């Protein structure tokens, strides 16, 4: 074994972007994830949750919602009001269509993936048809006051439930009329603050599941408009909700960082009567859990602390093994640091700029594990800001330390670095 | 030599109530609980102990109502028997002998002729199995219950570790971190285990288990205070559980309400927690229950629940989580440091109760009279916390003054406080008069008042001895300060010491003129007027353990017991040793009303009792092998009226009580077992052999005639007649005369009752009504209301003719009660 000098690099102040939304590919192995900086990542379950694709973020484009449509096409919608299709081969945002209702808070695809419904700031729900090469506006559904924060299709595609502040409503798709409007807060006496329905789901049995800012998960019969069950899972807000494909399990994310699983269990063994029971709490996150997803064999949650946690369901696992392990994606999967070995330089990549540092050096030698004192502190040489709204996709420094290159989704830049003693100058090539 | 005694040792209180969960009767009127070897029946409404059912030879470990008959109770005991009781009458119906120790008992409605018990596994120590016992339907009282079939292996020994599920479909057992569920129908056994690793203060070991009454849900309590609710446990893999967490320490017991919507949990926090709908957000608390909760049980109608506490207290709690009432016998304290003291005013035993409290325990009613807060500080339940506790108590002769000493648990610096309390007649309680901080520099070893009835309060002197090598004399002084609220207070009058030895015991002579103080190996005698040292006695080797003066005719003697097993008697007139005996005395207790002194020795794991008079070295009475446990304390309690025992003169005026290591109170009884037990077990027999009274003769003749008619005419018609006639006649004969209606009215009823009725089918329903009405009339009879009479008129006119003899149970009881009344005065006429 040779001798190594190990540098402790504590000056890379990367702030990772939190997870904003998650979308599981229906009947497919992929998971799409959008971060708060607009970056979209695609993971593949089949390949050990490998991060397949990364589409870098864009300053003007935030992603509030992602959904998969027919033919493995991925759409995203955000507060800019546009619906964007992502080019998964070219790793870029392909085409954008204006939603026409102000900022878009939510977007869901129907069971077959042929139609997209968006919920807008102005309270409208619009339906778009997925056509080859893009999407086409189809119709406006009944518009009511109050922003539409969450949407859910009935699996058969006949109804849409739209969650808003203090209420949610059920809309029939064919007629476009609101058939039921349910006040979430109706039975609470003198509710002082508004109750935000953060997430909603419509089950095939006709049950509406809502998660609200009072920390409740409530089950409603939408035809009668009655509350069937109410589970107060948390003292803080319940932010996100995902239902398994079999509709026997629900995962709820809350703003305390805890996620809860609710299961539909038989009241009596072998009996027909079933009831939702809150079963397992998980505390993997330190901040709000904004997005949850339920794959057939795992609970997936992503939070503002930028972690993606995949917890396999033990009862679905055949044996203990690699698949059954808990996974946490804390670190970025891409290479954000590049090193010029000869020049003892490090290049750090941030979303909008690059930083070039010179490593510290020492004259002492020591034994294994000893900490050596530095005679020269690490030095911040240069900060290079990229132009334009696009985020940096990748970057590199040459081994001799004289060339720096970076690229965005559309452009490539190359700089020459010249060190003159203490001063450093950059020249664009 | 005196012949070995034949007095019986009787447990009379303080037995652990912790053997098993208490059981409510089906109508929630009675609470049945285990107290040592007995099962007690307690009326929920009147707070009285109704019945004591004794018969087991060892600790009772489980009681359950008979699911087939709610007036019957099964009990099992360590003596290897299962008994079936009629608890309303306190009669043992059947005894099934199983043979091995029985540790817990369960009954199922679906399993008719069998019960489930936990027994130790043969050949293996500390492993237990759940077996079902076939209860054979034989004739006679004593039966064998030998047909055992093992249901579950390797179960926990406590009854809290096994629960039966909804409708008896499955049984759950927990042990350590393992849970096993056995489904009876499918013969399927599922095992689940939690991780044994203790992370972040977590401890997954199970402490108790209960099953939801309506749903398939198991609730388990854990050592770290968590409650887990298990569902879907018929799948080996897809089982799931949710967690409720409030308790900070072990969950001692759980109970579901009848519908399963509420779950109660309790632990060492002394707080009862009620969880609604299995949700962790909705919960209610009932705090300050006094002591850790050991068992929780629910009544079958869900109105009441009761908690058994570790200090032998029972609390009854309403369904809205309001404290209703409590049953307090002898409260078990952590350590009885005060000794057994008799309150001269109430004749109650006084000793440590709740932490920092003094309990006054009534021997007659087996109830706590009251609890006096001495330390007056909040008790915080936490291991390792140094608490202040009461260590010494003394009463003045007439009970007007009470002296208490409290100290903190710290060994090096005990914060001592001497408090003097004066009895206030108005508030009927003791009031703090004087508080003396640090009366001694080290632990106080003994304390006594000068007991002088005739001299009044002026002569009151309190003496304390301490390990700081002095004894101090405290006297009352008049308060000169006009602003002072009290007229008197206490202060130190004299400090005495002897060669810098630790003072260990003190004692006043009967007339109060002499004070004996023992200093390690030496006993010193002081004049209580001048505080001069009169003489010293010594019996080396060994420190003096106990001293006491003789009384009455023996007041010239001083008795001392030493560490090295000697009992010495010194003559105070000659200042010489009168006699000594080799005896390892642990308790030396003089009878305040006679010359007798009781000494309890502890030798080779058994306690023996010796009663002697100081003037003769031979004991009056010896009882070897008093009990297996070590006797810690003893006390003579004066009897209200002297007992007529010619054999045991020393028990005539006072009764001797012992407290054992396990804080069980025992006494010596001169009566034999048959006398002492309430004749309830023979009640039935008595019933048959009622004393011959004119009425019974009449009734007997009547009955006899009926019987003859039966045999003569066949049983078709006459049977009917007899059945109908007898209740009316009985009622006539048994109702007290002053509540009966006029004779002219009764005549028609009587004649009517002798007629043969035409229909007898529907009569059964109306019979109850009649009974109700007549009862009501009886109740009202004091006022002799006209309307009530009329009501009765019609009732009897219409219905008595078709009355059947099918008496309801309560009616029968009523009759029995009337029959039991003494009619012997009639024969004297």
């Amino acid at each position: 074994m040779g001798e190594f000098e190990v540098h402790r690099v504590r000056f890379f102040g990367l702030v990772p972007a939190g997870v904003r939304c998650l979308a599981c590919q229906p009947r497919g192995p992929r998971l799409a994830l959008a971060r708060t900086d607009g970056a979209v990542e695609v993971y593949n379950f089949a390949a050990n949750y490998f991060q397949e694709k990364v589409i870098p973020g864009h300053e003007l484009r935030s992603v509030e919602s992602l959904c998969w449509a027919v033919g493995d096409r991925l759409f995203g919608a955000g507060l800019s009001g546009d619906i964007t299709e992502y080019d998964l081969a070219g790793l870029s945002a392909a085409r954008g269509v204006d939603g026409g209702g102000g900022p878009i808070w939510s977007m869901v695809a129907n069971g077959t993936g042929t139609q997209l419904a968006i919920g807008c700031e102005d309270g409208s729900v619009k339906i778009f048809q997925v056509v080859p090469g893009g999407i086409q506006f189809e119709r406006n559904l009944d518009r009511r006051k109050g922003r539409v924060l969450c949407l859910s299709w009935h699996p058969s595609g006949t109804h849409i439930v739209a969650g808003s502040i203090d209420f949610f409503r059920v809309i029939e798709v064919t007629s476009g009329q609101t058939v039921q409007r349910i006040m979430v807060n109706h039975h609470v006496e003198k509710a002082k603050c508004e109750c935000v329905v953060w997430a909603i789901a419509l089950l095939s049995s006709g049950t509406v599941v809502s998660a609200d800012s009072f920390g409740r998960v409530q089950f409603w019969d939408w035809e009668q408009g009655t509350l069937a069950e109410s589970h107060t899972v948390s003292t803080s807000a319940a932010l996100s909700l995902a239902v398994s494909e079999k509709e026997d399990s629900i995962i709820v994310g809350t703003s305390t960082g805890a996620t809860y699983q609710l299961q539909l269990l038989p009241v009596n063994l072998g009996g027909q009567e079933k009831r939702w029971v809150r079963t397992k709490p998980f505390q993997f996150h330190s901040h709000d859990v904004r997005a949850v997803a339920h794959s057939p064999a795992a609970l997936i949650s992503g939070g503002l602390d930028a972690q993606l946690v995949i917890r396999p369901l033990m009862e679905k696992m055949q044996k203990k093994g690699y698949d059954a392990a808990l996974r946490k994606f804390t670190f970025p999967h891409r290479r954000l640091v590049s090193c010029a070995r000869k020049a003892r330089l490090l290049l750090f990549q941030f979303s909008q700029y690059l930083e070039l540092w010179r490593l510290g050096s020492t004259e002492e030698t020591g034994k294994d594990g000893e900490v050596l004192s530095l005679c020269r502190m690490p030095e911040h040489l240069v900060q290079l800001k990229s132009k334009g709204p696009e985020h940096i996709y990748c970057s590199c420094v040459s081994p001799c330390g004289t060339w720096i290159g970076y690229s965005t989704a559309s452009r490539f830049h190359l700089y020459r670095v010249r060190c003159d003693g203490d001063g450093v100058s950059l020249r664009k090539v | 030599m005196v012949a070995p005694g034949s007095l019986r040792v009787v447990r009379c209180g303080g037995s652990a109530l912790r053997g098993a969960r208490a059981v409510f009767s089906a109508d929630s009127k009675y609470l049945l609980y285990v107290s040592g070897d007995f099962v007690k029946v307690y009326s929920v409404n009147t707070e009285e102990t109704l019945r004591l059912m004794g018969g087991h030879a060892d600790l009772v470990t489980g009681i359950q109502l008979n699911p087939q008959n709610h007036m019957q109770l099964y009990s099992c005991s360590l003596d290897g028997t299962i008994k079936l009781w009629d608890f309303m009458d306190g009669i043992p119906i059947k005894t099934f002998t199983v043979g091995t120790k029985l540790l817990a008992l369960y009954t199922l409605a679906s399993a008719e002729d069998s019960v489930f018990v936990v027994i130790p596994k043969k050949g293996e120590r500390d492993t237990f199995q759940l077996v079902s016992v076939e209860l054979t339907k034989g004739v006679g009282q004593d039966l064998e219950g030998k047909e055992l079939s093992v249901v579950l292996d390797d179960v926990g020994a406590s009854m809290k570790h096994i629960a039966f599920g909804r409708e008896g479909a499955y049984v759950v057992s927990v042990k350590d971190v393992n849970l096993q569920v056995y489904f009876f129908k499918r013969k399927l056994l599922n095992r689940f285990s939690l991780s044994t690793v203790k992370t972040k203060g977590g401890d997954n070991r199970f402490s108790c288990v209960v099953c939801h009454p309506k749903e398939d849900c198991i609730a388990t309590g854990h050592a770290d205070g968590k409650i887990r609710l298990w569902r879907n446990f018929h799948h080996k893999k897809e089982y799931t559980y949710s967690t409720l967490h409030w308790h900070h320490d072990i969950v001692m017991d759980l109970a579901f309400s009848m519908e399963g919507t509420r779950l109660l949990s309790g632990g060492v926090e002394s707080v009862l927690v009620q969880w609604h709908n299995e949700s962790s957000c909705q919960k209610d608390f009932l705090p300050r229950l006094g002591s850790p909760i050991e068992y929780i049980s629910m009544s079958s109608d869900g109105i009441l629940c009761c908690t058994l506490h570790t200090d032998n207290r029972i609390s009854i709690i309403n369904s809205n989580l309001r404290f209703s009432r409590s049953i307090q016998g002898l409260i078990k304290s952590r350590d009885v440091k005060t000794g057994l003291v008799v309150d001269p005013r109430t004749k109650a035993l006084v000793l440590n109760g709740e932490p920092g409290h003094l309990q006054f325990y009534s021997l007659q009613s087996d109830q706590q009279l009251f609890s006096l807060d001495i330390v007056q500080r909040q008790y915080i339940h936490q291991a390792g916390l140094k608490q202040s506790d009461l260590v010494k108590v003394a009463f003045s002769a007439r009970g007007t003054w009470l002296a208490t000493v409290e100290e903190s648990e710290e060994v090096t610096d005990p914060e001592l406080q001497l408090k003097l309390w004066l009895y206030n007649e108005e508030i009927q309680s003791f009031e703090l008069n004087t508080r003396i901080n640090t009366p001694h520099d080290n632990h106080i070893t003994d304390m006594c008042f000068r007991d002088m009835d005739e001299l009044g309060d002026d002569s009151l002197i309190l003496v304390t001895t301490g390990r700081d090598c002095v004894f101090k004399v405290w006297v009352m002084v008049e308060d000169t300060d006009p602003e002072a609220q009290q007229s008197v207070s206490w202060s130190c009058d004299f400090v005495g010491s002897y060669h810098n030895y630790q003072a260990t015991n003190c004692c006043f002579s009967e007339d109060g003129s002499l004070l004996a103080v023992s200093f390690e190996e030496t006993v010193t005698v002081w004049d209580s007027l001048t505080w001069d040292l009169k003489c010293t006695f010594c019996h080396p080797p060994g420190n003096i353990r106990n001293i006491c003066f003789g009384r009455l005719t023996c007041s010239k003697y001083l008795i001392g017991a030493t560490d090295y097993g000697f009992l010495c008697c010194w003559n105070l007139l000659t200042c010489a040793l009168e006699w000594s005996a080799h005896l390892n005395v642990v308790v030396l207790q003089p009878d305040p009303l006679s010359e007798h002194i009781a000494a309890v020795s502890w030798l080779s794991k058994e306690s023996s009792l010796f009663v002697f008079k100081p003037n003769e070295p031979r004991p009056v009475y010896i009882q070897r092998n008093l009990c297996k446990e070590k006797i810690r304390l003893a006390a003579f309690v004066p009897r209200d009226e002297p007992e007529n025992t010619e054999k045991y003169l020393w028990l005539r005026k006072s009764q001797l009580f012992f407290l054992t290591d396990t804080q069980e109170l025992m006494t010596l009884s001169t009566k034999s077992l048959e006398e002492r037990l309430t004749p309830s077990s023979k009640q039935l027999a008595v019933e048959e052999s009622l004393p011959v009274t004119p009425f019974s003769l009449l009734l007997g003749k009547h009955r006899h005639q009926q019987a003859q008619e039966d045999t003569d005419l066949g049983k078709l018609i006459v049977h009917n007649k007899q059945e109908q006639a007898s209740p009316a006649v009985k009622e006539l004969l048994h109702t007290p005369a002053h509540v009966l209606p006029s004779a002219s009215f009764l005549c028609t009823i009587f004649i009517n009752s002798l007629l043969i009725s035409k229909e007898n089918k529907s009569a059964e329903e109306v019979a109850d009504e009649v009974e109700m009405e007549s009862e009501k009339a009886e109740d009202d009879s004091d006022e002799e209301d006209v309307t009530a009479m009329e009501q009765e008129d019609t009732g009897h006119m219409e219905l008595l003719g078709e009355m059947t003899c099918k008496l309801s149970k309560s009616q029968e009881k009523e009759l029995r009660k009337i029959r039991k009344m003494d009619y012997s005065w009639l024969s004297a006429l």
Side-chain angles (χ1 to χ4, degrees), chain A residues 39-355:
Chain A
V40 173
E41 296 165 13
V42 176
Y43 294 84
N44 193 338
F45 295 146
N48 273 333
Y49 301 93
F50 171 64
Q51 190 183 35
E52 276 188 338
K53 297 176 171 99
V54 178
I55 299 166
H58 194 280
E59 197 70 340
L60 302 176
R61 198 178 64 215
S62 75
V63 183
E64 281 295 314
S65 185
L66 282 174
C67 61
W68 293 90
V70 70
D72 291 347
R73 292 162 71 181
L74 183 65
F75 291 91
L79 297 179
S80 59
D82 287 347
I83 304 168
T84 317
E85 183 173 359
Y86 292 97
D87 180 359
L88 293 178
L91 296 186
S92 62
R95 291 165 290 269
V97 174
D98 185 20
I104 300 170
W105 288 95
S106 59
M107 176 173 68
V108 277
N110 68 354
T112 52
T114 52
Q115 283 179 319
L116 298 179
I118 58 165
C120 306
E121 174 77 20
D122 64 351
S124 61
V125 177
K126 297 171 199 290
I127 296 197
F128 287 80
Q129 186 80 30
V130 180
V131 293
I135 51 171
Q136 205 171 38
F137 176 69
E138 192 175 304
R139 62 184 304 179
N140 252 324
L141 300 183
D142 189 19
R143 184 181 147 190
R144 295 282 172 96
K145 207 169 172 249
R147 65 168 64 136
V148 176
L149 283 167
C150 47
L151 286 172
S152 176
W153 284 84
H154 191 268
S156 66
T158 53
H159 291 86
I160 287 178
V161 59
S164 193
I165 293 165
D166 281 337
F167 69 91
F168 67 84
R169 54 202 173 103
V170 184
I171 307 164
E172 199 177 16
V173 177
T174 46
S175 67
Q177 294 304 309
T178 302
V179 289
Q180 186 67 266
R181 183 172 180 276
I182 294 171
M183 298 292 289
V184 180
N185 241 358
H186 192 66
H187 58 284
V188 180
E189 291 289 317
K190 285 184 262 173
K192 281 185 184 128
C193 48
E194 55 188 19
C195 180
V196 183
V197 181
W198 282 116
I200 207 156
L202 184 53
L203 307 184
S204 52
S205 61
T207 307
V208 178
V209 191
S210 69
D212 59 38
S213 60
F214 287 1
R216 295 176 301 192
V217 176
Q218 293 179 313
F219 296 83
W220 308 81
D221 183 333
W222 77 261
E223 280 174 50
Q224 310 293 331
T226 50
L227 178 66
E229 283 177 55
S230 177
H231 296 262
T232 308
V233 295
S234 170
T235 48
S236 55
L239 293 175
S240 47
L241 183 80
V243 186
S244 72
E245 214 161 326
K246 282 187 192 165
E247 299 188 346
D248 60 354
S249 167
I250 290 177
I251 177 170
V252 184
T254 65
S255 61
T256 51
T259 54
Y260 298 92
Q261 192 188 4
L262 286 96
Q263 284 177 285
L264 187 65
L265 295 174
V267 168
N268 293 327
L269 298 181
Q272 290 301 308
E273 191 190 351
K274 291 189 171 186
R275 223 176 57 197
W276 288 96
V277 178
R278 184 182 72 76
T279 52
K280 292 166 208 141
F282 305 107
Q283 181 84 41
F284 297 126
H285 298 275
S286 58
H287 290 71
D288 294 17
V289 181
R290 292 295 299 270
V292 287
H294 203 308
S295 81
L299 306 176
I300 303 158
S301 59
L304 286 187
D305 55 355
Q307 287 190 73
L308 174 70
V309 178
I310 298 166
R311 191 194 184 279
L313 292 170
M314 287 308 179
E315 60 261 30
K316 300 279 177 10
M317 293 294 150
Q318 295 308 311
K319 58 180 188 290
K320 281 193 174 176
Y322 196 65
D323 285 341
L326 173 76
R327 275 162 233 273
K328 280 187 174 189
F329 297 104
T330 319
F331 293 105
H333 276 203
R334 284 172 297 149
R335 200 176 67 168
L336 299 177
V337 181
S338 46
C339 175
R341 277 161 60 196
K342 283 178 192 161
R344 301 173 67 84
L345 293 177
L346 282 181
L347 182 73
F348 301 137
Q349 178 192 326
F350 295 87
S351 61
Q352 289 275 32
Y353 56 91
L354 301 170
E355 277 185 4

Side-chain angles (χ1 to χ4, degrees), chain A residues 18-23 31-35 39-43 66 302 308:
Chain A
V19 177
R20 181 62 195 85
C21 61
L22 291 167
L31 171 78
L33 176 152
R35 294 193 180 267
V40 173
E41 296 165 13
V42 176
Y43 294 84
L66 282 174
L308 174 70

Side-chain angles (χ1 to χ4, degrees), chain B residues 538-570:
Chain B
C538 194
H539 193 279
N543 291 341
I544 301 288
R545 207 183 266 169
N546 289 306
I547 51 170
C548 69
F549 278 100
R551 296 196 171 252
L552 303 174
T553 58
C554 304
S555 54
K556 60 182 177 185
Y557 297 102
L558 176 67
I559 317 292
T562 69
D563 274 351
Y564 275 76
F566 279 100
L567 185 67
C568 314
C569 177
W570 292 285

Side-chain angles (χ1 to χ4, degrees), chain A residues 232-233 263 265-270 275 277-280 314-315 317-318, chain B residues 166 183 214-216 231-234 237-238 240-243 278 280-281:
Chain A
T232 308
V233 295
Q263 284 177 285
L265 295 174
V267 168
N268 293 327
L269 298 181
R275 223 176 57 197
V277 178
R278 184 182 72 76
T279 52
K280 292 166 208 141
M314 287 308 179
E315 60 261 30
M317 293 294 150
Q318 295 308 311
Chain B
R166 179 183 58 90
F183 295 89
K214 300 279 183 230
E215 298 172 10
D216 285 322
R231 285 180 182 273
N232 242 13
F233 40 83
H234 60 303
K237 284 181 99 55
E238 287 181 25
T240 181
Y241 58 77
S242 51
T243 312
E278 297 154 31
S280 59
C281 296

Side-chain angles (χ1 to χ4, degrees), chain B residues 507-750:
Chain B
C507 178
F508 271 105
S509 67
E510 197 190 10
D511 59 356
S513 60
L514 289 176
L515 167 71
V517 181
S518 64
F519 289 94
E520 297 185 8
E521 294 187 355
T522 319
V523 182
T524 58
V525 181
W526 306 72
D527 188 333
S528 68
L529 277 175
T530 56
W531 300 117
D532 288 333
L533 180 61
K534 288 287 180 193
C535 59
T536 61
F537 300 107
C538 194
H539 193 279
N543 291 341
I544 301 288
R545 207 183 266 169
N546 289 306
I547 51 170
C548 69
F549 278 100
R551 296 196 171 252
L552 303 174
T553 58
C554 304
S555 54
K556 60 182 177 185
Y557 297 102
L558 176 67
I559 317 292
T562 69
D563 274 351
Y564 275 76
F566 279 100
L567 185 67
C568 314
C569 177
W570 292 285
N571 192 329
L572 291 167
L573 299 176
T574 59
C575 292
L577 184 70
E578 189 84 4
W579 52 267
S580 75
H582 194 65
L583 195 64
N584 181 26
V585 175
V586 283
V587 177
L588 190 68
Q589 187 66 37
D591 181 2
L593 298 180
S594 70
E595 302 95 334
H596 297 98
I597 294 176
V600 178
S601 74
W602 175 249
L603 255 181
S604 59
K605 291 187 180 172
E606 60 172 52
S607 295
S608 308
L609 170 73
F610 299 86
V611 181
F612 59 90
K613 281 183 179 180
N615 56 3
E616 48 188 311
R618 272 195 193 168
V620 177
Y621 177 78
I622 298 174
Q623 174 134 4
R624 296 204 185 272
N625 199 0
L626 199 60
C627 68
K628 287 273 184 294
E629 298 112 287
K630 188 172 180 176
I631 285 174
R632 290 272 315 279
L633 297 160
F636 275 103
V637 179
R639 286 184 201 273
D640 289 337
E641 46 195 69
E643 199 169 79
N644 297 319
T645 57
E646 277 161 28
K647 212 170 163 190
Y648 308 105
L649 285 173
W650 60 279
L651 277 177
R652 193 171 241 184
K653 286 182 180 165
S654 346
Q655 203 175 355
L656 186 61
F657 287 90
F658 311 99
L659 197 72
T660 62
D661 256 351
T662 51
Q663 291 192 23
E664 271 187 79
L665 196 65
M666 302 196 180
T667 187
L668 286 173
S669 169
T670 52
K671 293 176 188 161
S672 61
L673 182 72
E674 286 72 35
E675 276 179 278
R676 215 186 104 75
L677 277 181
T678 41
S680 62
S681 54
K682 291 175 182 167
Q683 226 164 25
L684 280 184
V686 170
E687 191 109 345
E688 297 311 312
S689 58
L690 272 174
V692 185
T693 63
F695 272 126
S696 72
L697 280 175
L698 191 73
L699 197 69
K701 211 186 264 175
H702 187 75
R703 271 189 192 153
H704 195 68
Q705 276 177 2
Q706 294 281 355
Q708 279 211 331
E709 276 171 17
D710 267 7
T711 47
D712 290 343
L713 300 169
K715 289 172 186 177
L716 276 172
I717 313 159
V718 187
H719 194 70
N720 247 337
K721 181 186 149 198
Q722 180 209 6
E723 277 178 355
Q724 285 157 16
S726 57
V729 173
K730 261 187 198 168
E731 199 151 13
L732 277 182
L733 294 176
H734 291 304
T735 319
H738 68 280
V739 295
L740 276 180
S742 68
S744 60
F745 170 68
L746 283 174
C747 185
T748 52
I749 300 171
F750 186 72

